[in-house]
């Protein structure tokens, strides 16, 4: 996968995980937006409103990489998030803590897109995100949203 080689322990990024990362960090980029886009309407299974649709155009359901980092900081996991961006050792994050920070509605939506179980999705994301964010921020700077999107296109 180029940029993301060696980003995940074991070096194995599965297609469902890449779809989840793409959905989380860049919106609908990897969900088959052209041919399979009717995913928007069959989604009324979850209860409650789906506010994620309003932000997906500008960086996914959490507002892109910057939005994800903000959610982690606001949930009390700023040290871990900042370690992924910084040039030092990446701190880990517990799968449940990640799920709480991102929010159950967004996790449910991404799990449905990927066909993964929510717990398995959180487990894989909590393992992959530190390395992926580290690769996306090589100089300790959060890239612009279009740069994140191009990393997923390459």
């Amino acid at each position: 996968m180029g940029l993301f080689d060696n980003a995940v322990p074991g070096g194995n990024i599965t297609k469902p995980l890449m779809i989840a990362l793409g959905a989380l960090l860049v919106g609908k980029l990897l969900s088959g937006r052209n041919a399979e886009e009717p995913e928007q309407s069959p989604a009324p299974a979850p209860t409650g409103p789906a506010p994620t649709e309003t932000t997906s155009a500008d960086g996914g359901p959490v507002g892109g990489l910057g939005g994800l980092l903000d959610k982690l900081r606001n949930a009390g996991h700023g040290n871990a998030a900042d370690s992924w961006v910084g040039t030092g050792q990446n701190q880990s994050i517990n799968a449940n803590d990640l799920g709480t920070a991102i929010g159950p509605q967004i996790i449910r939506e991404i799990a449905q897109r990927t066909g993964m179980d929510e717990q398995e999705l959180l487990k894989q994301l909590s393992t992959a995100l530190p390395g992926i964010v580290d690769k996306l921020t090589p100089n300790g700077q959060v890239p612009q949203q279009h740069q994140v999107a191009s990393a997923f296109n390459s």
Side-chain angles (χ1 to χ4, degrees):
M1 177 95 237
L3 174 68
F4 300 125
D5 290 346
N6 303 318
V8 178
N12 206 7
I13 300 179
T14 63
K15 184 173 181 177
L17 181 57
M18 280 304 294
I19 291 169
L21 289 164
L24 188 62
L25 299 174
V26 292
K28 298 177 183 150
L29 180 71
L30 300 176
S31 67
R33 77 198 296 184
N34 296 334
E36 306 169 87
E37 191 50 38
E39 276 187 318
Q40 289 179 357
S41 31
T47 58
T52 57
E53 287 301 321
T54 56
T55 59
S56 61
D58 48 282
V62 297
L65 179 56
L68 172 65
L69 295 171
D70 287 343
K71 280 188 170 285
L72 289 166
R73 288 179 190 117
N74 292 338
H77 304 292
N79 287 341
D82 291 341
S83 77
W84 307 346
V85 174
T87 55
Q89 182 74 16
N90 293 331
Q91 293 180 20
S92 62
I93 188 165
N94 177 287
N96 291 331
D97 291 341
L98 180 63
T100 301
I102 293 172
Q105 174 69 29
I106 293 170
I107 294 300
R108 195 174 305 121
E109 184 179 309
I110 294 172
Q112 288 173 347
R113 281 189 186 181
T114 62
M116 295 173 74
D117 172 75
E118 290 178 31
Q119 283 306 111
E120 182 60 25
L121 172 67
L122 284 170
K123 179 181 165 195
Q124 288 193 30
L125 283 175
S126 67
T127 301
L129 275 172
I132 296 294
V133 172
D134 187 57
K135 292 282 187 178
L136 288 170
T137 58
N139 302 316
Q141 299 291 317
V142 177
Q144 296 292 317
Q145 190 56 38
H146 71 277
Q147 293 170 307
V148 176
S150 12
F152 276 88
N153 279 331
S154 56

